[in-house]
Amino acid sequence: MNRIIKLAAYISVFTLWLSCGTNQESITTIPNSKNQWPMSGGPNGSWKVETNLDVPTKWSVRTGENIKWKKTLEEGGQSGIAVWADKLFLTINPPIDTPKYSEVLKQYDIAETKYNTLFNQVEAELKRKTDKQYFKLKEALKEPEVAWVKFLDNHKHYQSVSELEKPTVKANLMRKQPIGKAYTKHLKKYSAYVHEQSEALKTANSEFEKAKKLKRGGASAKDIVLLCLDANNGEELWRKTVKGEINSDYNYGFSDATTPCPITDGEHVWAINASGGMACFTMNGDMVWERTWMPSTGRPFNKQFDSILFDDLILNAEPPVEGDNTRIKEWNYLHAFNKHSGERVWVTKEALTHYNTPIVGETFDGKPAVMIGRGGPHEVPERPVGLSLISLDKANQGNAIWNWEPTEANKISGWGALSTQHWDANKVSWFFAGDDHVTVDSKTGQQIDKKILNIVDQYVFRRETGKYELKKNVKLSHHQNQRHCNIMAGNNLFYMVRYKPFMAKHNTETGKNEQIELPHDIDNDGNFIWGQPQNNDGLNSQGQLHTGDPRTRGDGFQKCFLGSPTMINNYIYFTNALGTVYVIDSKAETFDELALIAVNDLGPKGETWSVNSLSFANGHIYHRTMNEIICIGE
């Protein structure tokens, strides 16, 4: 009899485990949201959905294949797209009336020519007069200049980055390195002396500096704009401003104020401004409530937290409220707000880092919880580095079920929080500093194991033969295996590699690593472009360069934070920064060309940029770029 009771108990637990893995009617699912996309991670916040509807896997905005409609956006934005019935919600940065970039370049060329001509004329006059101070400063500049050039020639990181990234890296090195500081000091003295000799040159220099600034591009604002569009044709129904407290650069490759996806439950819509604002509207655009707060400032300004609605609570990452002496002022914590009133309900004792994207889910015993993480580069302050599983169950809401931190010596770097914090009822994924991956038991908070990621079986595309070639046990250097964006599917972890055009698959149980090379882009004839980094112009639909960071205009696999991948049935959709969408079959036994289902585009070659996640609702995929919102499907 006891054996029968035990067997029944095992069957009950196994059934519970199966129900936790369906990602359909989980306890975190927003009511009545079947076939809708109510928040960033979809109906249950996991970025995964199962459906009986036809799912588009192949399309092209360039040719119009499988595109139902597309609509121009006045300005860029990074939010996901919330969908409910016939309405879409997304956010953009406020449009600004600045010159088209083509005009900016013309004015820059004029200012540069004028400045260089006058500078050369003044220099020639100083030489003619054998000006002693001029020659003294010129001589003093020689040695620092030679040393600086030699330093850059031998600097591995500077030489390894793309031409688009070089100016940013060079400026940082010049500001931080003693050799760069010395060169800058002498160059300023030399240039200042030459400028002092001519009022006309001073004026030309001032005009040239203004032209340089415009050429670099960029824009910023405190507020964002919430758009409501008709899901049938993309026509705008209404727009509202969501206030913020601090300026945010537009279209920064590591997030901007528009990053959080709007939230809707079919009755109301909520928008979060990462610059310090939150607002609630009716489905018709009437304001219900709004609030602002002061975000943590300084570096990094990377707000990877995305929107979460659970029950009647909206979860957000914010610093402690003013006067809270129990928490550290500069740190961020998970705050819960009543969705009806905007009133704060609770705040976690555990902090979370800027870089971390928490995920809601169910524990092994079927209770709701959210996983948060701490750690990351640029000295993010929240400690201890590691994970916390926060209960969303009414009896223990807002409290930690467990806390975990790595025990290894280099745990301080804690790069594991630099990801979307996927987990299930059995395990949590943690990218450790270096080339390791750690699995943590989500029931106990204890580390299960650690496996390496840098020994891989690589499927490399050979242009000579037009076929993939398997290279076994390839050892990757650290920069060849940095993680872009990630998602879990059973025991397999999938992620896009940074700096190299590869998709990776890691089996968390066996430790097997596989990678498949991806095409960088698609040419104008529809052929894949292999092994040739591409870039984009960074311009919005108005032809303005409101993208100030040149890294944004990189090759698609450059240093930036891409949107989280979305999994529909067994298909995983990854989008790179050039708007190329790779569709992967998560159930493919071997991670070769048969696993790569499709390579799709979101817009014209060289004119498309996106760090957005797609949404799936009512049989259609909704996606966006800096220039357009797109409805995919017949």
Side-chain angles (χ1 to χ4, degrees), residues 141-197:
L141 181 61
K142 282 184 180 179
E143 187 175 332
E145 187 172 33
V146 170
W148 173 241
V149 172
K150 184 177 179 182
F151 173 80
L152 291 179
D153 288 343
N154 294 319
H155 195 276
K156 291 183 179 179
H157 179 58
Y158 176 75
Q159 295 299 330
S160 68
V161 299
S162 68
E163 291 302 314
L164 284 167
E165 292 184 82
K166 272 184 165 58
T168 301
V169 176
K170 184 178 181 179
N172 288 335
L173 292 171
M174 188 177 285
R175 188 176 67 251
K176 295 177 180 179
Q177 294 294 327
I179 292 176
K181 291 178 181 179
Y183 173 61
T184 302
K185 177 182 176 182
H186 287 281
L187 182 61
K188 283 182 176 179
K189 285 183 178 180
Y190 168 72
S191 299
Y193 185 75
V194 177
H195 291 158
E196 286 171 8
Q197 312 309 309

Side-chain angles (χ1 to χ4, degrees), residues 63-125:
T63 66
E65 178 189 0
N66 216 15
I67 302 299
K68 183 177 181 182
W69 56 258
K70 58 182 181 176
K71 191 72 175 179
T72 299
L73 297 171
E74 298 167 78
E75 185 53 85
Q78 301 187 13
S79 78
I81 303 163
V83 187
W84 198 282
D86 60 354
K87 290 182 177 178
L88 309 178
F89 303 97
L90 66 153
T91 57
I92 62 171
N93 288 300
I96 300 176
D97 186 16
T98 61
K100 289 188 175 183
Y101 196 58
S102 56
E103 183 60 32
V104 169
L105 291 178
K106 289 179 184 177
Q107 296 303 316
Y108 174 85
D109 289 341
I110 293 171
E112 182 184 36
T113 300
K114 183 178 180 181
Y115 170 77
N116 287 337
T117 300
L118 284 172
F119 192 92
N120 291 335
Q121 289 175 357
V122 174
E123 267 199 318
E125 181 64 18

Side-chain angles (χ1 to χ4, degrees), residues 426-430 437-441 446-451 506 508-509:
N426 297 297
K427 58 188 174 301
V428 191
S429 170
W430 175 270
H437 179 266
V438 168
T439 304
V440 176
D441 191 321
Q446 300 298 310
Q447 184 170 317
I448 298 172
D449 59 20
K450 181 174 72 172
K451 290 181 167 61
H506 171 71
T508 58
E509 285 198 341

Side-chain angles (χ1 to χ4, degrees), residues 310 315 333-336 346-352 358-363 367-374 387-393 396-403 423 442:
F310 171 75
L315 306 185
Y333 298 83
L334 193 64
H335 297 240
W346 49 259
V347 184
T348 57
K349 294 179 180 178
E350 293 72 21
L352 75 160
I359 295 290
V360 291
E362 292 184 29
T363 60
K367 294 181 179 179
V370 57
M371 191 73 67
I372 65 174
R374 294 165 295 279
L387 295 165
S388 295
L389 182 61
I390 305 298
S391 174
L392 294 177
D393 185 56
N396 193 36
Q397 206 165 80
N399 295 314
I401 298 172
W402 52 253
N403 297 299
W423 64 291
S442 59

Side-chain angles (χ1 to χ4, degrees), residues 11 45 119 217 286 292 468 483 509 559:
I11 292 173
F119 192 92
D286 298 322
T292 60
Y468 277 96
R483 276 69 67 186
E509 285 198 341
K559 193 174 184 180

